[in-house]
Amino acid sequence: MAIALNKITKFLFFLLLNSLVFYSIQSLASPRNPDSLVLGLTLASTASFPTGPKASTSSRKIVSIDFSGEKKPLMEVRDGYLISLNIGTPPQVIQVRMDTGSDLTWVPCGNPSFDCMECDDYRNNKLITASFSPSYSSSSYRDSCASPFCIDIHSSDNPLDPCTVAGCSLSALVKATCSRPCPSFAYTYGAGGVVTGLLARDTLRVHGSSPGVTTEFPKFCFGCVGSSYREPVGIAGFGRGTLSLASQLGFLRKGFSHCFLAFKYANNPNISSSLVVGDIALTSKDEMHFTPLLNSPMYPNYYYIGLEAITVGNVRATEVPASLREFDSQGNGGMKIDSGIAYTHLPKPFYSQVLSILQSTINYPRDTGMEMKTGFDLCYKVPCPNNNTLADDLLPSITFHFLNNVSLVLPQGNHFYAMSAPSNSTVVKCLMFQSMDDGDDGPAGVFGSFQQQNVEVVYDLEKERIGFQPMDCASVASSQGLHKT
């Protein structure tokens, strides 16, 4: 999540997953509804998932969404979802990170003059992506100081402020005739990253469902960033604000849904997870149970739901803090649902209570060495009949109870995960939950993407609600033409 320098900073999400996971989203035909789009997310992993790293609130998977219409090699980037944006005339393909917790879309500008401070680790591993060159695009121009995007990026309560900073005369301000460009901006990220640049407009081309079909957005607004601090790759904001990529392209008018494949499909090029955008994402959902979206007065552009309880086997954790289902006067609280954060995070001491119930229920030996190595809090040496690491029936089920009597029993493989290959008919599995960092502002908890595997998640933004339904996502992929046979 990103915010302007004079806004409240978002809670941290940064660190590296040592095992890099990639998704490639490719447009597939959806001729039934011109206002909808079916996309495929192809899961590929360069190593066993997860391995080694100290777990963090910021753990992310690597995703690539291809809006360029061309098949590009996937880039190994530390954190985030990569999107290929096709910008300019002639088009330039720039890869950026997807961020559901921010609005601004920005790209590195001025190849090779884009300057990134403290990005040597990215440079050494050749992870810095290409830059956009405005001078090479005949359709590129600076955004106006009077535009709503400029007012938004500068977080101004007075719409005249940006044009005043730009040097417009009082007469031009009163008559609304000032045509000066939007002043430069600074944008910060929770991990301490900062980018500075200019707001630009240019043509964004999205290659749609059918081959050869392209939709053009001739005045797409984005940040043209010349300098950054610890932010080597551009970002595509997918929040609910007016600046976001999703908002400008109209993705949020109705809603969307996704169904993430289990990790056993990693490196399988023949099957993709389902991501549906538009009307058909919300059709035939009469049997689905929905929990209401909670609207934070301080963070209105993020997706929050309310958690009432967690059940481990038949034991329900009782001391659920009210902050997981409501906000305080500063807008902190609620449970954020975020596909950009890998693991579910819970506040202390509620997290400790869940751990205690699990420890009293599971009778297998702990592997403290693996806990020290990975940073996860509960790792067990679990019997592995027939070396089947996916069998979780030896471990207790975990059920999330959300507002409006919506309960989600996590599918097998969504709570504990095998950290290594079986040895002597035993495998080490660790709980894929973590505690919120002390002093975190923002959400009280996060429902991460790892817990959303083999679950259809429907964002009904028109009715302000989110639905959950356990699902065989491989079957869903096949029914939507995302499984090559």
Side-chain angles (χ1 to χ4, degrees):
M1 159 185 167
I3 46 182
L5 276 173
N6 55 345
K7 286 186 177 178
I8 298 176
T9 307
K10 172 199 178 224
F11 84 106
L12 173 65
F13 60 154
F14 184 64
L15 284 182
L16 167 67
L17 278 176
N18 190 32
S19 133
L20 295 174
V21 181
F22 299 89
Y23 286 101
S24 174
I25 298 186
Q26 301 169 333
S27 297
L28 295 177
S30 178
R32 295 169 293 174
N33 191 323
D35 296 323
S36 300
L37 186 64
V38 177
L39 304 173
L41 294 82
T42 303
L43 175 63
S45 176
T46 59
S48 300
F49 178 82
T51 61
K54 183 71 176 178
S56 164
T57 320
S58 56
S59 300
R60 287 175 170 266
K61 301 187 194 73
I62 303 299
V63 179
S64 173
I65 304 176
D66 188 4
F67 281 166
S68 69
E70 301 177 18
K71 203 168 183 66
K72 298 286 183 181
L74 295 174
M75 300 293 293
E76 296 185 2
V77 177
R78 270 192 176 186
D79 55 292
Y81 296 79
L82 286 184
I83 304 172
S84 293
L85 297 181
N86 194 327
I87 303 176
T89 307
Q92 301 174 46
V93 178
I94 310 296
Q95 289 190 313
V96 297
R97 286 195 291 119
M98 178 184 178
D99 183 7
T100 59
S102 67
D103 291 334
L104 175 68
T105 294
W106 67 267
V107 298
C109 278
N111 190 17
S113 62
F114 172 70
D115 180 32
C116 184
M117 299 172 58
E118 293 197 14
C119 295
D120 290 343
D121 51 346
Y122 285 85
R123 291 191 186 92
N124 295 339
N125 291 285
K126 299 179 180 180
L127 302 182
I128 293 183
T129 58
S131 297
F132 177 72
S133 298
S135 60
Y136 293 162
S137 173
S138 62
S139 53
S140 179
Y141 63 95
R142 293 272 300 275
D143 192 31
S144 165
C145 66
S147 83
F149 297 121
C150 183
I151 296 170
D152 193 312
I153 194 69
H154 286 285
S155 309
S156 178
D157 294 328
N158 187 338
L160 299 180
D161 283 347
C163 284
T164 302
V165 174
C168 298
S169 67
L170 178 59
S171 174
L173 292 174
V174 173
K175 296 178 182 179
T177 58
C178 183
S179 59
R180 289 181 179 269
C182 182
S184 59
F185 65 84
Y187 215 70
T188 71
Y189 292 85
V194 182
V195 299
T196 60
L198 304 169
L199 275 190
R201 300 278 192 124
D202 210 331
T203 299
L204 174 67
R205 295 171 178 85
V206 177
H207 293 262
S209 303
S210 303
V213 176
T214 301
T215 302
E216 292 190 356
F217 299 85
K219 296 181 181 180
F220 180 73
C221 187
F222 61 97
C224 191
V225 170
S227 300
S228 75
Y229 174 69
R230 295 181 177 175
E231 292 294 339
V233 180
I235 290 177
F238 265 70
R240 303 172 73 182
T242 57
L243 264 173
S244 77
L245 177 70
S247 179
Q248 291 190 62
L249 270 59
F251 288 176
L252 300 182
R253 292 171 184 168
K254 294 291 185 177
F256 59 93
S257 68
H258 59 68
C259 197
F260 295 143
L261 290 169
F263 278 89
K264 68 179 181 180
Y265 290 102
N267 293 317
N268 186 338
N270 297 319
I271 190 167
S272 303
S273 296
S274 169
L275 173 63
V276 183
V277 179
D279 291 335
I280 62 174
L282 309 177
T283 59
S284 302
K285 305 301 179 186
D286 295 338
E287 302 301 321
M288 178 173 282
H289 297 287
F290 287 86
T291 188
L293 272 172
L294 305 181
N295 293 310
S296 167
M298 191 63 68
Y299 305 101
N301 294 343
Y302 315 131
Y303 305 105
Y304 289 95
I305 52 180
L307 181 68
E308 291 192 304
I310 289 179
T311 300
V312 177
N314 295 320
V315 181
R316 176 172 291 209
T318 56
E319 300 176 9
V320 182
S323 61
L324 279 170
R325 54 186 179 273
E326 60 187 40
F327 302 104
D328 63 19
S329 58
Q330 283 75 45
N332 300 311
M335 189 169 206
K336 188 173 76 167
I337 176 170
D338 192 341
S339 63
I341 295 180
Y343 314 123
T344 289
H345 289 70
L346 300 172
K348 300 176 182 178
F350 179 58
Y351 174 71
S352 299
Q353 182 187 171
V354 173
L355 293 187
S356 296
I357 296 174
L358 283 166
Q359 291 179 70
S360 65
T361 305
I362 301 173
N363 296 318
Y364 302 118
R366 292 270 293 275
D367 190 329
T368 56
M370 184 64 74
E371 293 172 1
M372 291 292 294
K373 180 181 178 181
T374 63
F376 294 115
D377 293 302
L378 282 184
C379 296
Y380 289 95
K381 298 176 181 178
V382 182
C384 186
N386 302 318
N387 289 332
N388 180 12
T389 62
L390 299 177
D392 279 341
D393 52 350
L394 299 177
L395 297 168
S397 63
I398 297 180
T399 304
F400 281 73
H401 304 277
F402 300 108
L403 292 175
N404 202 32
N405 295 318
V406 174
S407 296
L408 173 64
V409 181
L410 295 184
Q412 288 191 359
N414 285 21
H415 41 19
F416 284 87
Y417 192 82
M419 306 302 288
S420 60
S423 177
N424 298 322
S425 297
T426 301
V427 65
V428 177
K429 292 189 175 185
C430 294
L431 178 69
M432 299 289 103
F433 290 8
Q434 294 180 301
S435 64
M436 296 293 290
D437 295 334
D438 292 334
D440 272 349
D441 292 327
V446 179
F447 190 61
S449 61
F450 195 91
Q451 281 65 50
Q452 297 175 46
Q453 300 172 80
N454 275 329
V455 177
E456 183 183 24
V457 183
V458 177
Y459 292 72
D460 186 346
L461 303 182
E462 187 176 38
K463 295 183 178 179
E464 295 284 318
R465 58 185 190 169
I466 291 182
F468 299 96
Q469 183 171 322
M471 188 78 64
D472 181 351
C473 291
S475 296
V476 173
S478 296
S479 67
Q480 295 177 339
L482 301 172
H483 192 176
K484 301 175 184 177
T485 56

